[in-house]
Amino acid sequence: MAQVTLSSVKKVYAGGVEAVKGVSFDIPDGGFCVLVGPSGCGKSTLLRMVAGLETISSGEVSISGRVVNQIEPADRDIAMVFQNYALYPHMSVYDNMAYGLRNRGTPKDEIEKRVKEAARILAIEGLLERRPRQLSGGQRQRVAMGRAIVRKPQVFLFDEPLSNLDAKLRVQMRVEIKKLQRALGVTAIYVTHDQVEAMTLSDKLVVMNGGQVEQIGVPAEVYRKPASRFVATFIGSPPMNLLPAAIDGPGIVALGDALLEARDLKQNLASGTKVEVGLRPEDIEIASEGQAGALPFDVEFIEELGATQLFHGKLAGQPFVMQAATGDVAAEARRLWISVDPDRVHVFDAQSGIRLGRE
Amino acid sequence: MQKNAYFRSLTIPLLLLLPQLAITVVFFYWPASQAVWQSFLLEDAFGTSTQFVWFENYQSLFADPGYFKALRNTAVFSTFVCVFSLSIALLFAVMADRQIRGAEIYKTLLIWPYAVAPAIAGVLWIFMFDPSLGMLARGLQSLGIAWNPRLNGNDAMTLVILAATWKQISYNFLFFLAGLQSIPKSVIEAAVIDGARPMRRFWTIIFPLLSPTTFFLLVVNIVYVFFDTFGIIDTVTGGGPAGATETLVYKVYSDGKGGSNLGGSAAQSVILLVMVIAMTAVQFRFIERKVNY
Ligand SMILES: Nc1ncnc2c1ncn2[C@@H]1O[C@H](COP(=O)(O)OP(=O)(O)OP(=O)(O)O)[C@@H](O)[C@H]1O
Ligand SMILES: [Mg+2]
């Protein structure tokens, strides 16, 4: 019902800044789409074009099959939660939530019913008489959510709604947002630069860079098969190790003297082609010296993360990080022999950074 | 941890306060106390002897119909000037706020009148509306409107209201513009998404959020029309015709001019002083409480 479709959407700001350079994707009804990318990549701009707060330079945005380019934000049947919450400071919490309904001429008792219902869902019933300045950050966040849900919109838009909260509250609200969206069955577009939020919330993940889409997919797929070097290093923490290498034969890359098997490697690549090999720190396994495919890793120092430890050092002369559960590997600087599941070896074109995978 | 810096002895703080204290004493407390003292004295017509008369000056003031006429003139004058200068300035500020490009030029042009001395502003308006020379007066006359501020009291009042409003708009504009620009853009955007059309948005979001600015300006403007408009009235009408534009502050001057009624003039200025103190007190109380959202 509320499917959102973007086709070749572009945004050129006055002054010539090309913030969004032709983006196309669609979100199914009830889907949760997360736009993630580094600062300045055009996420907010894209979201604001869907909201109608920015004009669309070219391309089309449609909601439920209706092109909305020329339609006022108020008539697009959307609600937005802003990073700074954007509550009306001079109105009570009740009035903040009721404002949108009053503007639409909703009957008074219906307004009261909906506001009470939203307040109950968000557990802010006791705060309805307060002003925004008398609320904590987390409570303001809930009111902002409440203002969005009372209107029963077809699409929720979120622009970094959790970035002003502390780490613990952020995790809690993240779970609540997801639950709420599921329960209401509303289509959602969520902008963040936090990859944990991106991975956990989305069922469609859009990774953006420099105004363009780098990859679209379900989060697990984006994690397992990053489409480019950029996505590979952006998604995953600590970031993926990238090492210069060369093609040695079908399914084999040469990393210095060592040979590494890569199952997802494009065929018919000429031997000697320069590539980059990507290995996630959490995919590294301990091997024994002399085992086939074992690589020597010289550990220089160790970071304690509690449940896991990060081993920093050099592999084939390049900086390298390995992650292991605390206690699995003796924490001391020395030479380790490591190996990687051939399914978890990523190969990228050295120049373009595009994944060299099987079609 | 010491939170505030402090001085070991009293000498330095006193020295630092001295210039400000001196200015306040010389330019405020001393003349104010002189005025209070003077308001209890009666001088004879030749200024040869003075007599302490308690509240006689005040009594004769309240028996004088001319004083109530000045009071009424002041009420009319200040109401119109405040309402016009505030609402026109707000309108300009809203327009400038929307049009951010080119706003600089617009702002600069709007600020100029504030830099013009009251007497010069007055002269400018005399020229424009002079019944025999003024372009605008001619225009009015050609439309069949009889216009002569030299003879007609209402015309004269209209003219000083226009001149005083014109001069105050730029000041109000600056404060309104700053107030508008301090409203977060996202709050306005939230209202747009919430379906509030521009007019409704203005009255339900922007205007309430501007209310601290509006209230501050209201008090400043009342003080302005009570006192600062002296120069304009003096150059444009000189209080005439027949006292039609004589406001309270102008009457203080004309009664005291040439020493004809120094005691009465002093009594009037004491009353004005009390009014200003009252207004300032109200302002501080309100700013602390009600207007805060
Ligand atoms: N009003 C504007 N006028 C001109 N350029 C703009 C405007 N707003 C944003 N930009 C530019 O467009 C690009 C994308 O901005 P956008 O706000 O969409 O980034 P973002 O991905 O949301 O970043 P962040 O994570 O920091 O919020 C940036 O280069 C920015 O400088
Ligand atoms: Mg942003």
Side-chain angles (χ1 to χ4, degrees):
Chain A
M1 176 182 96
Q3 182 187 355
V4 179
T5 309
L6 285 79
S7 52
S8 322
V9 174
K10 275 191 195 163
K11 177 70 190 182
V12 183
Y13 278 111
V17 181
E18 221 183 319
V20 175
K21 303 172 182 168
V23 167
S24 307
F25 61 89
D26 63 312
I27 308 157
D29 180 30
F32 201 120
C33 169
V34 173
L35 302 179
V36 68
S39 189
C41 70
K43 313 178 289 287
S44 297
T45 304
L46 194 57
L47 190 76
R48 292 166 58 82
M49 284 193 283
V50 177
L53 297 172
E54 296 292 349
T55 56
I56 299 164
S57 305
S58 72
E60 269 181 2
V61 173
S62 41
I63 298 175
S64 316
R66 176 178 67 146
V67 176
V68 294
N69 286 34
Q70 302 303 328
I71 292 176
E72 291 286 317
D75 303 326
R76 291 189 182 192
D77 213 357
I78 48 136
M80 184 154 168
V81 177
F82 294 82
Q83 179 173 1
N84 64 0
Y85 318 134
L87 300 178
Y88 311 123
H90 58 299
M91 294 185 194
S92 67
V93 167
Y94 184 95
D95 291 337
N96 261 280
M97 293 203 268
Y99 186 70
L101 296 173
R102 287 192 185 129
N103 289 336
R104 287 173 170 77
T106 313
K108 222 171 168 175
D109 46 346
E110 172 72 12
I111 293 180
E112 182 165 345
K113 208 182 92 199
R114 289 218 217 162
V115 172
K116 292 267 162 70
E117 169 75 3
R120 192 184 54 75
I121 295 173
L122 293 161
I124 50 171
E125 289 146 302
L127 308 175
L128 289 177
E129 297 311 314
R130 295 215 201 154
R131 293 284 164 91
R133 74 186 150 91
Q134 299 165 317
L135 302 176
S136 71
Q139 290 168 335
R140 284 179 206 184
Q141 174 62 53
R142 282 164 200 273
V143 177
M145 293 285 302
R147 191 168 63 179
I149 66 178
V150 287
R151 294 224 330 265
K152 305 196 171 156
Q154 298 209 38
V155 184
F156 275 159
L157 304 174
F158 299 91
D159 194 351
E160 308 201 24
L162 305 182
S163 57
N164 287 349
L165 301 179
D166 66 49
K168 201 173 151 206
L169 205 52
R170 207 178 309 167
V171 175
Q172 187 190 336
M173 285 307 293
R174 191 174 80 204
V175 174
E176 285 191 32
I177 287 180
K178 182 76 183 177
K179 274 196 205 153
L180 198 63
Q181 184 263 348
R182 284 254 176 87
L184 300 173
V186 179
T187 311
I189 308 181
Y190 187 107
V191 163
T192 181
H193 56 242
D194 180 315
Q195 51 148 321
V196 180
E197 272 172 35
M199 293 294 289
T200 52
L201 284 172
S202 62
D203 34 54
K204 184 159 204 165
L205 185 56
V206 177
V207 185
M208 289 185 67
N209 185 27
Q212 269 159 334
V213 170
E214 287 271 340
Q215 187 171 7
I216 300 176
V218 293
E221 178 190 303
V222 173
Y223 175 81
R224 264 205 320 270
K225 283 194 179 180
S228 67
R229 190 166 53 199
F230 172 81
V231 178
T233 48
F234 193 79
I235 300 291
S237 168
M240 185 186 280
N241 295 293
L242 286 174
L243 305 161
I247 299 292
D248 194 68
I252 306 286
V253 284
L255 199 63
D257 303 331
L259 296 182
L260 203 60
E261 193 187 346
R263 256 186 221 134
D264 184 35
L265 179 60
K266 196 170 173 178
Q267 281 149 337
N268 308 326
L269 285 167
S271 252
T273 309
K274 293 240 179 308
V275 295
E276 270 186 274
V277 165
L279 303 174
R280 291 202 185 274
E282 59 273 31
D283 289 343
I284 312 294
E285 289 158 22
I286 297 295
S288 50
E289 191 174 351
Q291 185 182 321
L295 306 167
F297 172 41
D298 293 311
V299 178
E300 285 162 357
F301 69 94
I302 293 140
E303 269 184 309
E304 296 286 346
L305 298 181
T308 59
Q309 291 170 317
L310 293 184
F311 293 74
H312 294 260
K314 288 240 160 61
L315 185 97
Q318 300 290 322
F320 193 84
V321 181
M322 169 185 113
Q323 187 172 34
T326 302
D328 280 6
V329 184
E332 58 190 27
R334 63 193 166 118
R335 166 160 289 196
L336 288 175
W337 290 87
I338 59 165
S339 68
V340 186
D341 179 348
D343 278 324
R344 300 190 169 218
V345 175
H346 311 269
V347 184
F348 304 101
D349 189 289
Q351 240 107 58
S352 66
I354 306 241
R355 182 183 187 88
L356 298 171
R358 289 165 186 266
E359 293 313 314
Chain B
M1 277 272 279
Q2 185 78 32
K3 213 174 167 197
N4 298 314
Y6 69 102
F7 296 102
R8 255 169 234 289
S9 78
L10 265 179
T11 330
I12 293 177
L14 281 179
L15 272 176
L16 290 172
L17 278 175
L18 202 62
Q20 181 62 49
L21 285 176
I23 287 171
T24 317
V25 167
V26 170
F27 290 102
F28 180 72
Y29 286 107
W30 189 64
S33 55
Q34 285 278 303
V36 173
W37 174 242
Q38 189 94 56
S39 72
F40 294 129
L41 300 180
L42 188 62
E43 269 185 62
D44 71 14
F46 307 104
T48 47
S49 67
T50 46
Q51 200 190 342
F52 191 81
V53 293
W54 285 110
F55 291 98
E56 206 175 286
N57 283 325
Y58 291 90
Q59 277 164 6
S60 53
L61 198 59
F62 290 129
D64 173 15
Y67 188 68
F68 288 97
K69 187 175 175 194
L71 197 63
R72 210 188 53 231
N73 285 342
T74 309
V76 171
F77 180 63
S78 52
T79 307
F80 278 104
V81 174
C82 285
V83 169
F84 286 158
S85 66
L86 284 171
S87 46
I88 295 171
L90 181 56
L91 182 71
F92 284 175
V94 169
M95 282 166 15
D97 186 47
R98 217 176 278 171
Q99 182 69 45
I100 285 306
R101 258 209 279 183
E104 278 309 311
I105 308 164
Y106 188 68
K107 260 195 283 189
T108 316
L109 288 177
L110 272 168
I111 286 157
W112 277 352
Y114 190 62
V116 174
I120 297 179
V123 170
L124 195 74
W125 285 82
I126 295 179
F127 275 131
M128 287 197 294
F129 283 99
D130 183 280
S132 45
L133 300 171
M135 277 166 38
L136 294 176
R138 292 242 184 108
L140 283 175
Q141 282 154 357
S142 70
L143 288 174
I145 300 166
W147 169 262
N148 195 341
R150 286 193 205 143
L151 299 176
N152 183 318
N154 286 339
D155 289 359
M157 181 56 97
T158 309
L159 187 53
V160 285
I161 287 173
L162 285 178
T165 302
W166 174 76
K167 203 162 146 28
Q168 192 60 9
I169 285 175
S170 42
Y171 181 88
N172 296 345
F173 167 80
L174 277 187
F175 277 86
F176 275 133
L177 189 62
L180 284 171
Q181 290 183 343
S182 70
I183 298 176
K185 211 173 131 224
S186 57
V187 170
I188 310 291
E189 288 173 345
V192 169
I193 291 179
D194 262 344
R197 307 288 163 196
M199 265 300 166
R200 187 167 162 78
R201 211 148 68 216
F202 180 80
W203 291 113
T204 55
I205 306 284
I206 297 171
F207 192 70
L209 291 180
L210 271 183
S211 62
T213 308
T214 311
F215 189 75
F216 162 80
L217 283 178
L218 185 62
V219 175
V220 168
N221 277 260
I222 291 174
V223 173
Y224 161 79
V225 284
F226 266 58
F227 297 97
D228 247 11
T229 47
F230 172 83
I232 288 176
I233 294 177
D234 194 43
T235 41
V236 176
T237 62
T245 54
E246 192 171 63
T247 58
L248 289 174
V249 72
Y250 200 81
K251 196 169 161 58
V252 171
Y253 162 77
S254 57
D255 285 2
K257 190 168 59 179
S260 50
N261 182 6
L262 270 186
S265 170
Q268 291 176 38
S269 59
V270 170
I271 293 172
L272 274 176
L273 187 71
V274 172
M275 285 182 179
V276 172
I277 291 172
M279 276 188 285
T280 315
V282 168
Q283 175 188 14
F284 278 119
R285 282 182 74 100
F286 265 87
I287 286 224
E288 266 164 28
R289 290 210 216 130
K290 247 196 143 169
V291 190
N292 258 347
Y293 39 77

